[in-house]
Amino acid sequence: AGLSGPGTAELRSEPLTRRLAVHIGAEVVRVGHALGHRIEPILGIAAERFAAATDSGAIDILGKDIAADAMSRTGGRPSMLQDVMKGRRTEIDYLNGFVAAEGRGAGVPTPFNDAVVAAFHAHAVGALRPDLRNLDPLVRLLP
């Protein structure tokens, strides 16, 4: 949301941003599992479904479940988007950056989380403007 601008429901309603969210979430779950953590359901969806979403069919089905959850979240604006809009420092290094670092340590690839962090770091604090074009580096990673 901080990169692109749409709110919570909108991000989960649009097919492209949902696909990106599935890939980012799958990396998070895989890293957590590699570190021995038990992951609670995400949006009411078993975490294992995120980790197992490696083909387009599974990603599409998971995306539909995410879209169904979006209906309960209209009007929400994620905190990272609020930080970007107000020109504040974000917690990107402590969220996606942490996942990427832990993934490197556990030997779990995190290309989508790496790309999110790089996209934020490409801008000085306060200079990033939310725009869907900021997702282009992530879109290029999609299979």
Side-chain angles (χ1 to χ4, degrees):
L3 288 173
S4 59
T8 304
E10 295 80 12
L11 285 172
R12 294 179 185 160
S13 299
E14 292 300 319
L16 175 63
T17 52
R18 270 198 323 257
R19 282 181 65 206
L20 294 173
V22 169
H23 284 281
I24 292 166
E27 291 176 4
V28 171
V29 172
R30 289 181 196 126
V31 169
H33 283 164
L35 297 174
H37 299 292
R38 186 174 73 73
I39 313 295
E40 294 293 322
I42 303 163
L43 307 174
I45 302 166
E48 289 72 23
R49 288 189 54 208
F50 282 86
T54 56
D55 64 67
S56 60
I59 290 168
D60 288 344
I61 292 168
L62 188 54
K64 289 177 183 162
D65 290 341
I66 291 170
D69 176 77
M71 297 305 171
S72 68
R73 301 183 190 277
T74 57
R77 190 173 275 162
S79 64
M80 194 162 319
L81 174 57
Q82 292 177 44
D83 290 341
V84 169
M85 292 173 71
K86 293 176 182 177
R88 297 187 296 222
R89 185 174 310 280
T90 70
E91 65 267 30
I92 194 68
D93 292 324
Y94 302 100
L95 298 175
N96 302 82
F98 180 77
V99 170
E102 292 294 306
R104 280 190 296 280
V108 177
T110 59
F112 284 89
N113 280 276
D114 293 337
V116 169
V117 173
F120 272 89
H121 286 186
H123 303 275
V125 173
L128 176 62
R129 297 292 169 252
D131 188 303
L132 287 170
R133 290 176 293 198
N134 292 329
L135 299 177
D136 289 349
L138 284 82
V139 172
R140 287 192 287 274
L141 294 174
L142 289 170

